[in-house]
Amino acid sequence: MTRRLQELQLAVMLLTRLPAGRLADPAPGLAAGAWAFPLVGLLPGAVLWAVLAGALALGLAPMGAALLGLGAAALLTGGLHHDGLADCADGLGGGRDRAHALEIMRDSRIGTYGVLALVFAIGLGAAALAQIGAGLGLAQALLIGVASRMAMLGAMWALPPARDDGLGQQVRGVAPGALLPGALLLAGLALWTGAGSLWVLALMAASGALLARRAQRRLGGQTGDVLGAVQLASETAGWVALAALLALG
């Protein structure tokens, strides 16, 4: 039990900027703690929902409330996934070949493709959340927070590392059993939110899978940037899908 708590602590330390204390020696490896990544998605999901609901209650316009909610979630994660999306877009969009794409993704500077990817991701997410507005329930926010990190975990399990170093290499060897806790949590959240959530989950999974497949073809596998991009792309798809679902009644 103590080891599992350490693995959860490691996941919180990696995926958020929350103070999580120190890990006792010997610290678990990232691959061992990967099962907890979807559970950490509860935190940004709850923060986004609370900030959005609070801003709307204070009379802020829906778009402003949506941007505040997204901004609060990004602050909680330290913009980790946004950085991954930008770097991944620059590499996949501008690389001449595999080696050049990976070299671009190592560069901390952001290029045109990265800027465009962030603009579209934040813009689409904010527009969808503004449309949803007060119709966003806590269960739905938690569902999308967990499911997007489940997509990231799925990419870790399905794709080999594209490099011999870096985060992608450190999470190599994720066991199939690591998917079970997140899958059980998702099932519970899906029951809470209703049958419509299955459509949202399907579109999120498709979005993450398409990006992962593109990374497999261009890079030969996953990197930390690819994993961050999968998370943010699937999350954005979730907000858009949920807005469409609610609009259809």
Side-chain angles (χ1 to χ4, degrees), residues 38-57:
L39 278 65
V40 177
L42 293 168
L43 299 174
V47 166
L48 185 151
W49 174 82
V51 171
L52 175 67
L56 290 173

Side-chain angles (χ1 to χ4, degrees), residues 4 9 22 38-39 75 91 93 105 108 110 115 127 135 140 163 170 173 184 195 212 217 235:
R4 291 301 184 194
Q9 181 185 5
R22 286 175 168 266
L39 278 65
L75 283 175
M105 291 166 66
S108 60
I110 186 170
V115 171
Q140 295 163 327
R163 294 194 184 101
Q170 293 180 53
L184 291 174
R217 289 183 171 181
E235 178 185 307

Side-chain angles (χ1 to χ4, degrees), residues 201-213:
L201 290 175
L203 288 182
M204 292 181 70
S207 175
L210 285 173
L211 183 52
R213 184 179 181 185

